[in-house]
Amino acid sequence: MHDVQERPDMQQDRKRAFRLKQVLKMPHTFVILVMLIFFAAALTYLIPAGELDRIEDKTTGKELVVEGSYHQVEKNPVGIFDIPLAIVHGLIDASDVIFSILIVGGAFQVIMATGTVEAATARVARRFSKNEKWVIPIFLSLFSIGGFTMGMATEGIVFVPIGIAIARSLGYDAITGTAMVALGASCGFTAGLLNPFNVGIAQAIAGVPLFSGLWLRAILLVVFLVITSIYLIRYATRVKEDPSKSVVYDLEKNAAEKKVDFSHLPSMEIKHYLTILTMILSFSLLIWGVSNKNWGIEEISALFLTMGVASGLCGGFGPSKISNELVKGATAITFGALIIGVARAIVVVLEQGDIIDTIVSSLAMIVGELPSSMQVLGMYAFQTLMNVMITSGSGIAATTMPIMAPLSDLLGISRQTAILAYQLGDGISNLILPVSATLMGTLAVAGIPYQKWVKFMWPLMLIWMGTGAVFLLFANIIDY
């Protein structure tokens, strides 16, 4: 039989389809970030430079914006040749987070090498073999506690490998395991029941009793957890029934080659129990240090480095074996760690161009001009936009609340509602913004491309934002 040759017109159609597919293909993560950096640099030419005067608040120790102090300053646009240096400055500014992520990756690689996680997750899988869906709301609720008490954000990254291991043992994927940890912490952080780092600071600045209005934030937390549990259970169920439905199917195919057969695992050994004890003590020390000693990322990184080495010793490893595993774990997430620094360059450009304060003042004026029924939603949108440029929750509070609190008085909106708009705007968008060090660090540890995460996350993000808007409108109606 002779092979049927393709007609020339068919060949041309196939080539055009291939070229179109290449054009429409999602760019590399670094390409997306660099495009955003160029956009930020272009804004420094278009937006007038300006500053707001700031004074130190003796109660909170934060620098607060002086209302009505905005003034223009000499323009300082960021040129195209300044961008490479801005990227370097971004990497330097984010160096503490970058090295923390490398240390965490190394530490958990040591723990994984001991076989403890596989042995423990096998037992979890067998325990929930008939009710595996309950693992999702349990994890979400557990990590929400860390979010609404100590503002768990970067700290939650260290739990991601455990979440992934448990999810995979139950037939789910890396997205499910990552989401169980990250979305739970995000729900708690957004609700902010007893979080001193966002709601606490905002209420102190606004002159509202500390942690007042707890009842509405508690309802908000429950609603967010229910919505997120339903969304994630539906996704995880589809993946279990048909693994090709996974957003990270290619990642799961590669991981499948390394999967452990949980039905034929050896029994838990003394080294596994010692490693688990080391982890429990380390996490307990983490909670104590963050809550009572104001530990920052340096202390947390040192703790996890110690945990990794101690776990290796418990697993019977020698110094060289521990060192090899630490390097192996850090190497695996280098790409993701570098993304954090490149994303930080966007903020560096906006700061160098002196346009952040101009944007803050302008948006505050726009909110004041909106119809009364839309002003509270304008505050919500304003705080969300601020979160793009100022990724620190306490930093946004210190910058915006001195403006929003008196503005809310003028608009007839309660200060408690203005604070709710702040915490929703600050919290909800964190899990989709490429400038978020916590998000990029989480994805780095999980090995999930940013584009894949966005594909999974954007429908839930819209639901979250719509839910937040409903709560704000309700708060405004009842004069919360």
Side-chain angles (χ1 to χ4, degrees):
M1 292 180 66
H2 297 287
D3 292 335
V4 178
Q5 291 186 344
E6 241 182 355
R7 297 199 314 269
D9 59 331
M10 293 176 63
Q11 292 179 351
Q12 290 296 325
D13 289 342
R14 190 159 54 85
K15 289 179 180 179
R16 279 195 294 268
F18 177 77
R19 286 196 295 268
L20 179 62
K21 183 178 180 181
Q22 291 298 108
V23 171
L24 296 177
K25 185 178 179 182
M26 180 69 76
H28 191 280
T29 303
F30 280 142
V31 174
I32 296 173
L33 292 176
V34 171
M35 289 169 62
L36 290 174
I37 294 170
F38 273 94
F39 178 70
L43 291 180
T44 64
Y45 286 90
L46 302 174
I47 298 175
E51 291 180 352
L52 289 160
D53 293 335
R54 290 169 169 81
I55 57 173
E56 183 176 345
D57 183 79
K58 295 180 180 179
T59 304
T60 63
K62 295 287 183 180
E63 285 192 341
L64 305 183
V65 172
V66 177
E67 184 189 359
S69 65
Y70 174 77
H71 57 278
Q72 291 192 3
V73 297
E74 185 178 351
K75 209 163 189 177
N76 186 32
V78 177
I80 188 171
F81 296 110
D82 297 321
I83 289 177
L85 189 58
I87 293 174
V88 173
H89 285 161
L91 290 165
I92 294 172
D93 287 354
S95 59
D96 54 350
V97 178
I98 292 173
F99 283 108
S100 175
I101 296 302
L102 295 176
I103 290 170
V104 168
F108 269 96
Q109 175 59 37
V110 175
I111 293 170
M112 294 292 288
T114 67
T116 302
V117 174
E118 290 85 351
T121 53
R123 278 130 192 92
V124 172
R126 283 197 284 268
R127 171 67 179 82
F128 290 96
S129 58
K130 296 181 180 179
N131 299 290
E132 69 270 10
K133 293 177 183 178
W134 281 105
V135 172
I136 291 174
I138 288 171
F139 260 68
L140 288 171
S141 300
L142 178 64
F143 285 99
S144 75
I145 296 173
F148 72 69
T149 54
M150 64 178 188
M152 176 184 284
T154 308
E155 301 88 349
I157 294 173
V158 301
F159 297 95
V160 170
I162 297 175
I164 292 175
I166 291 176
R168 282 175 171 163
S169 72
L170 297 172
Y172 303 144
D173 63 357
I175 285 274
T176 303
T178 303
M180 289 192 306
V181 176
L183 299 189
S186 182
C187 286
F189 182 87
T190 302
L193 273 67
L194 301 169
N195 185 352
F197 304 111
N198 64 353
V199 172
I201 290 176
Q203 290 184 328
I205 293 172
V208 174
L210 193 63
F211 301 128
S212 56
L214 187 67
W215 67 272
L216 185 60
R217 295 200 301 279
I219 296 174
L220 176 68
L221 173 64
V222 173
V223 171
F224 266 56
L225 286 175
V226 170
I227 290 172
T228 306
S229 295
I230 294 172
Y231 183 86
L232 190 51
I233 288 172
R234 289 183 63 189
Y235 170 80
T237 301
R238 288 199 306 270
V239 169
K240 186 165 186 175
E241 293 174 352
D242 183 0
S244 67
K245 296 290 181 63
S246 170
V247 174
V248 287
Y249 181 55
D250 292 340
L251 176 65
E252 293 305 305
K253 283 195 298 185
N254 295 331
E257 300 172 0
K258 305 175 185 177
K259 276 187 179 178
V260 178
D261 184 356
F262 291 111
S263 63
H264 295 87
L265 280 174
S267 60
M268 290 280 288
E269 301 177 15
I270 293 178
K271 67 178 183 179
H272 297 146
Y273 287 111
L274 289 175
T275 302
I276 290 174
L277 179 61
T278 300
M279 294 173 66
I280 292 173
L281 292 174
S282 298
F283 292 144
S284 300
L285 188 57
L286 168 66
I287 295 171
W288 174 82
V290 172
S291 303
N292 298 297
K293 294 296 181 180
N294 295 320
W295 278 8
I297 199 165
E298 293 179 3
E299 291 83 1
I300 294 171
S301 300
L303 172 63
F304 280 97
L305 177 60
T306 304
M307 182 184 73
V309 173
S311 297
L313 294 174
C314 291
F317 297 164
S320 295
K321 173 67 173 175
I322 293 173
S323 299
N324 285 333
E325 295 298 335
L326 284 169
V327 172
K328 181 180 177 181
T331 301
I333 59 174
T334 300
F335 165 71
L338 290 175
I339 288 175
I340 298 170
V342 178
R344 172 64 187 168
I346 300 170
V347 181
V348 169
V349 168
L350 296 175
E351 290 175 343
Q352 289 180 348
D354 292 324
I355 63 173
I356 287 184
D357 286 355
T358 301
I359 295 173
V360 170
S361 298
S362 301
L363 290 175
M365 291 176 61
I366 292 172
V367 170
E369 296 297 324
L370 291 174
S372 57
S373 60
M374 297 293 294
Q375 286 169 344
V376 68
L377 297 182
M379 283 187 169
Y380 183 24
F382 166 77
Q383 296 289 5
T384 301
L385 288 172
M386 286 301 98
N387 196 37
V388 177
M389 295 175 289
I390 307 172
T391 54
S392 163
S394 58
I396 296 176
T399 302
T400 65
M401 287 314 299
I403 297 172
M404 289 292 104
L407 180 62
S408 66
D409 295 339
L410 294 173
L411 300 178
I413 298 172
S414 72
R415 291 194 172 196
Q416 196 76 266
T417 302
I419 293 167
L420 182 63
Y422 149 73
Q423 69 187 80
L424 290 169
D426 172 42
I428 289 178
S429 58
N430 281 329
L431 281 183
I432 206 165
L433 293 176
V435 295
S436 169
T438 299
L439 171 61
M440 303 313 289
T442 298
L443 299 183
V445 171
I448 298 173
Y450 172 73
Q451 302 94 316
K452 300 288 187 180
W453 176 260
V454 171
K455 183 178 180 181
F456 160 78
M457 191 65 202
W458 75 263
L460 179 59
M461 185 65 56
L462 294 179
I463 296 171
W464 276 4
M465 295 186 79
T467 303
V470 171
F471 267 83
L472 274 173
L473 290 171
F474 174 73
N476 195 35
I477 290 171
I478 66 172
D479 198 23
Y480 174 53

